């Protein structure tokens, strides 16, 4: 059971009509890092939590404001103008619980009345084919007339290619996602898209990524997401810059001592 638990004073009806931005647990965790970058940079308001026994529980310091409780596995944030809602998923899904998690998430999205949903995911850069080796490391997957199509064309953001070996009769046509390209390492992105597309507008923003130091990938993803969705309400000549969370400072430990190698 996936239950939205609002923070005191927040009316769940304020989710209705907003644009949902939701990451999937995927290779290099770039989508989750990007959401944290938005939370830190825009001071997003935490408006609630998702109670779901399909994901691993976690509890930690809520670094945005330790006086406001703790960080948990599934959190819900909104921008100050109430136009965008973000879900942050901090832990993976339990083995064998994917379908339960997807059913719960689908029920939450439909019941909340979001206007549209953008799924954030990453896919294994080592599995790219020749046509994917050059240009931007991003792809979009959405219907031709989707809410992002026009803006994506302006940005020259390519659609994710359906490779020839995927476009054959050998694929299981009963799964309902045979027309969606494979995204290795993208978690539940493909299945979530397949569940939602008949119910309301949905698209997937994909980044080719590899495991490692992905902080620059995260900033790239945030810039691409913002160019596509126009979330940051600042003028072109403003001094806005991304503000990394404090936790990023210790992500890879302390700097090495150069004297050790002399």
């Amino acid at each position: 059971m996936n239950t939205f638990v609002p923070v005191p004073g927040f009316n769940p009806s304020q989710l209705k009509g907003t644009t949902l931005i939701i990451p999937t647990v995927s290779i290099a965790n770039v989508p989750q890092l990007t959401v944290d970058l938005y939370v830190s940079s825009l001071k997003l308001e935490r408006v609630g939590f998702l109670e779901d026994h399909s994901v691993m529980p976690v509890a930690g310091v809520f670094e945005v404001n330790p006086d406001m409780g703790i960080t948990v596995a599934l959190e819900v944030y909104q921008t100050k103008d109430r136009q965008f809602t973000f879900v942050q998923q901090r832990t993976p899904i339990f083995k064998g619980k994917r379908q339960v998690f997807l059913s719960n998430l689908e029920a939450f999205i439909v019941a909340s009345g979001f206007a549209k949903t953008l799924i954030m995911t990453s896919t294994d850069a080592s599995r790219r084919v020749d046509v994917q080796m050059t240009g931007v490391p991003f792809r979009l997957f959405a219907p031709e007339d989707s809410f992002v199509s026009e803006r994506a064309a302006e940005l020259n953001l390519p659609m994710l290619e359906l490779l020839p070996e995927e476009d054959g009769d050998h694929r299981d046509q009963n799964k309902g996602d045979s027309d969606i390209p494979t995204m290795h390492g993208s978690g539940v992105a493909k299945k979530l898209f397949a569940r939602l597309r008949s119910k309301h507008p949905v698209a997937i923003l994909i980044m080719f990524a590899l495991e490692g130091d992905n902080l620059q990938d995260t900033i790239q993803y945030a810039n691409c997401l913002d160019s596509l969705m126009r979330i940051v309400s600042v003028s072109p000549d403003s001094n806005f810059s991304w503000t990394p969370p404090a936790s990023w400072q210790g992500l890879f430990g302390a700097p090495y001592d150069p004297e050790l190698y002399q």
Side-chain angles (χ1 to χ4, degrees):
M1 181 70 177
N2 182 314
T3 304
F4 176 66
V5 182
V7 299
F10 180 76
N11 188 338
S13 66
Q14 291 178 289
L15 299 176
K16 185 176 182 180
T18 66
T19 297
L20 176 64
I21 311 290
I22 182 166
T24 64
V25 175
S26 48
I27 189 166
N29 298 112
V30 176
Q32 286 89 349
L33 290 170
T34 301
V35 173
D36 276 342
L37 189 59
Y38 268 88
V39 171
S40 177
S41 301
L42 301 186
K43 309 299 181 188
L44 298 185
E45 177 187 354
R46 188 170 65 177
V47 299
F49 313 88
L50 293 178
E51 182 181 356
D52 195 318
H53 297 249
S54 304
V55 300
M56 296 182 183
V58 69
V61 176
F62 183 47
E63 67 176 354
V64 176
N65 186 346
D67 294 332
M68 293 180 62
I70 60 174
T71 288
V72 295
L74 289 165
E75 301 177 320
V76 183
Y77 294 84
Q78 275 194 342
T79 53
K80 290 183 173 62
D81 60 8
R82 302 293 187 200
Q83 296 299 306
F84 294 91
T85 300
F86 288 75
V87 167
Q88 176 63 303
Q89 182 180 346
R90 301 190 184 279
T91 60
I93 305 163
F94 281 117
K95 185 177 181 180
K97 294 291 186 178
R98 274 194 170 196
Q99 294 306 316
V100 175
F101 175 77
L102 285 167
S103 295
N104 293 341
L105 193 56
E106 177 187 359
F108 162 70
I109 292 171
V110 173
S112 298
F114 294 109
K116 45 190 174 285
T117 297
L118 182 75
I119 301 168
M120 304 167 60
T121 197
S122 49
T123 187
D124 190 351
S126 69
R127 303 291 292 268
R128 287 175 296 176
V129 297
D130 289 350
V131 71
Q132 297 169 336
M133 290 292 187
T134 59
V136 297
F138 296 98
R139 292 295 187 271
L140 188 71
F141 188 77
E144 290 185 4
D145 59 347
S146 79
F147 62 94
V148 289
S149 298
E150 184 177 346
R151 181 60 179 161
E154 294 174 1
L155 297 171
N156 293 317
L157 184 59
M159 290 289 291
L160 183 62
E161 298 83 0
L162 183 65
L163 304 180
E165 61 268 24
E166 298 176 338
D167 192 16
D169 295 334
H170 65 282
R171 305 185 77 204
D172 186 352
Q173 301 297 315
N174 295 322
K175 289 185 177 179
D177 58 9
S178 60
D179 58 333
I180 306 173
T182 298
M183 295 171 277
H184 299 284
S186 64
V188 298
K190 182 175 178 177
K191 297 296 184 184
L192 181 58
F193 179 92
R195 281 173 172 265
L196 293 177
R197 62 177 167 179
S198 64
K199 298 176 175 64
H200 80 165
V202 61
I204 312 177
L205 180 61
I206 308 122
M207 182 179 194
F208 295 113
L210 294 170
E211 296 287 354
D213 184 349
N214 300 102
L215 299 189
Q216 287 305 311
D217 291 338
T218 300
I219 293 171
Q220 272 191 282
Y221 199 118
N223 285 331
C224 182
L225 174 62
D226 214 74
S227 295
L228 183 65
M229 301 302 293
R230 297 167 174 169
I231 302 169
V232 179
S233 300
V234 295
S235 60
D237 60 346
S238 72
N239 294 320
F240 174 81
S241 61
W242 297 110
T243 305
S247 56
W248 285 18
Q249 296 176 11
L251 200 58
F252 295 99
Y256 71 91
D257 184 355
E259 293 184 2
L260 292 174
Y261 301 94
Q262 293 179 0

